[in-house]
Amino acid sequence: MIVMQPVLELGTPGDFSLWPVAACTPPGFLALSGTLTSAEVGTALMLIAGCNDIDPDPASGDDRPPRPADPLDSFLHGLLTFENLFASGGLRVVDRSTGTTLVPGCCGGLEDWRDAYAVLDGTGWAFFGHAPDPVVERSGDSVRWVVDVERSDGPVIESSVPESRRLLDGVERDLVDFLDLAADWAPLHLPEHLAGPVLDALARVVDVPASGVTRQTS
């Protein structure tokens, strides 16, 4: 049996106190779905916002407005002002029959998870980071989830094209369910002027239809 999940790479929360978060100890990953606790939703937002918590750099052509002084507005500034958002993570694929696990490599981003659909359609390939260097490729009617393409003898998870499509469709459902939780979480932990924009940004990061958020906030 093959299981596929959208995941975020864990980071150390340190003395984070802007909203409640769950205890987490890297290395590892947080799987996103509709089963997260409120504190885990807070952790997911902390991780995603942290990936984009970068000062504007006018010298490099970054024309975003200056970082606000308020600590909450400051931490969320990158999430709310970057055009192209990044979330360290991606897809975790587990073959329970063999114990083989594919996880995102360094610099792999959850926002690119839909690239795998192009592989199934035979129109591209998907690279999910480096060290390890996981990739997904199509070979005829089979899809090969290569744990580390730099290892000639490395493990591979193989599935059919229809099964892989079913698994990716399940990833989308998990992400929509996560956004549903976030839509309930945001008004409880963020000021009104931030809750909507944060949810819009999360929808862009996880690349699911905007209706997944709108349905909960209307």
Side-chain angles (χ1 to χ4, degrees):
M1 178 181 179
I2 298 176
V3 177
M4 185 181 297
Q5 299 169 302
V7 297
L8 294 172
E9 184 177 6
L10 289 175
T12 304
D15 57 355
F16 187 84
S17 60
L18 295 176
W19 56 75
V21 296
C24 57
T25 305
F29 297 92
L30 173 66
L32 301 182
S33 72
T35 65
L36 297 184
T37 66
S38 177
E40 288 171 332
V41 173
T43 297
L45 177 56
M46 177 194 71
L47 295 172
I48 294 171
C51 286
N52 299 279
D53 185 23
I54 301 171
D55 286 325
D57 183 10
S60 66
D62 184 351
D63 60 357
R64 293 181 298 134
R67 183 189 290 269
D70 177 79
L72 178 59
D73 288 335
S74 176
F75 181 65
L76 294 173
H77 186 62
L79 181 68
L80 300 180
T81 59
F82 268 122
E83 180 177 355
N84 297 313
L85 297 170
F86 171 70
S88 183
L91 297 176
R92 178 168 62 193
V93 186
V94 180
D95 185 343
R96 290 181 173 172
S97 66
T98 64
T100 301
T101 300
L102 177 149
V103 296
C106 178
C107 300
L110 178 60
E111 70 280 358
D112 296 326
W113 74 270
R114 285 190 184 274
D115 290 353
Y117 276 116
V119 178
L120 306 190
D121 296 335
T123 58
W125 68 289
F127 170 75
F128 298 130
H130 58 85
D133 295 66
V135 301
V136 56
E137 58 190 16
R138 179 169 174 172
S139 178
D141 294 331
S142 296
V143 178
R144 303 177 74 249
W145 302 86
V146 183
V147 173
D148 189 348
V149 75
E150 293 298 315
R151 292 178 53 192
S152 59
D153 61 344
V156 176
I157 298 172
E158 294 198 29
S159 61
S160 67
V161 172
E163 181 182 19
S164 293
R165 194 175 300 278
R166 177 184 63 79
L167 291 168
L168 285 173
D169 290 347
V171 167
E172 181 173 50
R173 288 192 296 273
D174 282 339
L175 292 173
V176 169
D177 289 346
F178 162 69
L179 282 182
D180 286 347
L181 291 181
D184 291 334
W185 180 94
L188 300 177
H189 299 281
L190 298 175
E192 184 177 357
H193 75 282
L194 291 175
V198 164
L199 288 171
D200 289 341
L202 288 179
R204 289 170 51 210
V205 170
V206 301
D207 195 10
V208 299
S211 60
V213 174
T214 304
R215 183 172 60 249
Q216 295 297 318
T217 58
S218 59

